[in-house]
Amino acid sequence: MHAANHTPPDHRRHDIDALRALAFLFVILYHVGMYYVAGWHWHLKSPHEAEWLRWPMAMLNLWRMDLVFLISGVSLGFLSRGQGTWGLLRSRGLRLMLPLVFGMAVIVPYQAYAQGVANGMVAPGFGAFLLRYLSMSAPWPKQAFDGADFGITWNHLWYLPYLFTYTALVALTLPLWKSAAGQRVRRGFNGLRGWKLLLLPAVPLLLWTMLLASRFPATHNLVRDFHLHSIYFTMFLYGYWMGVDTGVWKELERLRRVSLASALAVIATFFALRAVTSGPPSGLSMDVLRVLYLWLTVSAILGYGHRYLNRPWPWLRWANESVYPWYVLHQTLIIVGVVLLAPLALGPAVEPALLVALTIFGCWALTDGLIRRVDFLRPLFGLKLRRPASRQPLPPEPEWRSPSPRA
């Protein structure tokens, strides 16, 4: 690949930073929506379930985590330039698995407790629940809470083991990706232009969907989630290949209006077909529309992000250090907010607004007021230890060559 097509090593991709932060903000809004959307399973459900929420939630659900995994792949593409296999495994393992273990032991249990109490299968008393949960000394009633069959659960933190698995797969095959054959694959993908860039990357996604979707529905069980693995890992690889190339990003920027208009046309067709068919949408035509909408939407987001977000926004340094703790904390804070607000019967407008506000305030207060200030807490939420010379509210912005707070 020509040198002109590489991002200079000292140039930080502000658009990727911004998109990462915005993507996880959408995750917060999405999980609040899960409490209210009618017909979709979640840990707790509101008496104000809304049928109309299915449409915007479906629009978001078809691409939200795919974008997150692609962005994580982009980050790995930058990080892998300065680290070998074992360096990546060591740094990524610590950054991803330590917060997972801590989160499963400290942050997630209240979610399981609240769900179990709401289901009438767990006795009130969080202390007694926590002792039994952490010791795994006695089986839980069947379906007491999501993950009760295993005795302990990771709930929303499933993203961390999935990301570490994909990172490990790339790290362990790093010589392959850096070989002549691997570089040809990378150049082939990054050399796509025009309609080829908007259509061809969707083909593997369609193939995986046709082969695996009906046999392996989404479970967030790491060893059985073959359909989601095929989609997410493919998107992760796309991001890894794109990371240091500039030509493909410029092309996505050039095609942003076309990809956005096409995505809207595809999702409109998808919803129209759903409206006139009974039962869950299925068949080849629906699969084609799903994966086309996924890739076109991600392409549009990346194109517009590269056009308008690739600048050093004043809030980016703060967001880079906040996004990981916010991700770890947000769902438990949503559950806490639900437990506090539901008895007040505030209605379907005031309650969700307050729930979003309380969640965001809780994430901000705990992150800025405690986690970022206490050194032993920082690694537990995916943050690096502060250097003695940089103990200030907003430390100097790291380069892409250093591990970023996310992915």
Side-chain angles (χ1 to χ4, degrees):
M1 186 176 295
H2 298 298
N5 283 341
H6 289 290
T7 302
D10 59 346
H11 176 68
R12 188 172 181 90
R13 286 292 302 278
H14 304 293
D15 55 327
I16 299 301
D17 286 339
L19 286 175
R20 181 192 298 111
L22 294 173
F24 279 97
L25 180 61
F26 271 111
V27 169
I28 293 177
L29 298 176
Y30 179 85
H31 283 151
V32 171
M34 286 297 294
Y35 176 57
Y36 293 100
V37 63
W40 290 21
H41 171 75
W42 202 57
H43 312 291
L44 299 177
K45 295 302 291 186
S46 170
H48 306 296
E49 287 184 319
E51 292 282 347
W52 66 267
L53 266 178
R54 292 187 183 190
W55 304 98
M57 291 286 285
M59 288 184 68
L60 191 60
N61 189 48
L62 288 171
W63 56 263
R64 63 185 184 93
M65 290 307 299
D66 311 88
L67 174 66
V68 169
F69 278 110
L70 184 140
I71 290 173
S72 299
V74 172
S75 299
L76 184 66
F78 281 90
L79 293 171
S80 63
R81 294 184 300 174
Q83 298 187 61
T85 294
W86 301 115
L88 282 175
L89 289 175
R90 184 170 54 252
S91 63
R92 296 296 86 195
L94 181 63
R95 189 63 64 89
L96 296 172
M97 303 312 289
L98 182 58
L100 174 65
V101 173
F102 174 77
M104 291 175 66
V106 177
I107 306 298
V108 169
Y110 185 78
Q111 300 178 34
Y113 167 74
Q115 183 179 5
V117 171
N119 290 340
M121 297 182 181
V122 171
F126 182 60
F129 170 86
L130 188 60
L131 288 175
R132 179 177 169 186
Y133 175 89
L134 294 177
S135 67
M136 301 180 67
S137 58
W140 295 101
K142 188 176 181 180
Q143 298 178 343
F145 54 85
D146 293 347
D149 293 346
F150 298 96
I152 192 169
T153 181
W154 52 42
N155 279 1
H156 70 290
L157 299 181
W158 65 267
Y159 165 73
L160 299 179
Y162 279 49
L163 179 56
F164 178 70
T165 299
Y166 305 158
T167 301
L169 285 173
V170 172
L172 291 171
T173 55
L174 208 55
L176 171 64
W177 300 115
K178 292 184 176 181
S179 69
Q183 290 303 305
R184 280 197 297 271
V185 172
R186 184 195 296 264
R187 286 196 298 270
F189 181 86
N190 289 331
L192 296 174
R193 296 293 182 264
W195 67 267
K196 294 180 180 179
L197 182 57
L198 298 184
L199 294 181
L200 293 185
V203 173
L205 306 178
L206 176 61
L207 179 62
W208 309 144
T209 299
M210 293 169 58
L211 292 176
L212 300 173
S214 61
R215 299 176 58 195
F216 300 101
T219 61
H220 295 153
N221 180 327
L222 183 66
V223 298
R224 299 177 184 174
D225 222 0
F226 295 112
H227 177 230
L228 283 187
H229 281 320
S230 67
I231 299 294
Y232 291 157
F233 185 59
T234 299
M235 296 296 288
F236 184 78
L237 277 181
Y238 289 170
Y240 174 69
W241 291 336
M242 295 165 63
V244 296
D245 187 87
T246 56
V248 69
W249 291 97
K250 291 178 180 177
E251 183 68 357
L252 286 169
E253 178 182 340
R254 186 182 74 84
L255 295 171
R256 66 189 185 279
R257 296 184 182 89
V258 175
S259 55
L260 177 60
S262 301
L264 293 175
V266 169
I267 195 60
T269 305
F270 180 82
F271 283 149
L273 290 177
R274 285 186 62 173
V276 300
T277 57
S278 58
S282 59
L284 178 60
S285 60
M286 301 303 286
D287 289 340
V288 170
L289 292 172
R290 278 193 191 92
V291 299
L292 270 180
Y293 171 67
L294 185 167
W295 178 249
L296 288 168
T297 302
V298 169
S299 297
I301 291 171
L302 297 177
Y304 276 96
H306 193 60
R307 176 68 177 85
Y308 295 107
L309 296 178
N310 196 17
R311 61 191 68 178
W313 299 95
W315 48 270
L316 267 186
R317 286 183 293 177
W318 169 82
N320 276 338
E321 271 226 331
S322 300
V323 65
Y324 204 154
W326 281 46
Y327 160 70
V328 173
L329 293 167
H330 80 276
Q331 186 160 290
T332 296
L333 291 176
I334 291 172
I335 297 294
V336 170
V338 165
V339 172
L340 292 175
L341 294 176
L344 303 180
L346 298 174
V350 174
E351 182 186 271
L354 277 178
L355 186 56
V356 171
L358 285 174
T359 302
I360 291 176
F361 174 78
C363 288
W364 170 79
L366 288 171
T367 300
D368 281 46
L370 182 64
I371 295 166
R372 290 174 58 173
R373 298 172 183 269
V374 180
D375 277 346
F376 82 86
L377 289 177
R378 291 175 66 89
L380 301 178
F381 289 88
L383 302 181
K384 293 185 294 184
L385 291 173
R386 294 180 298 177
R387 295 178 180 177
S390 61
R391 292 179 182 269
Q392 49 190 334
L394 290 178
E397 185 174 333
E399 299 298 340
W400 271 110
R401 290 170 293 181
S402 300
S404 63
R406 277 297 319 144

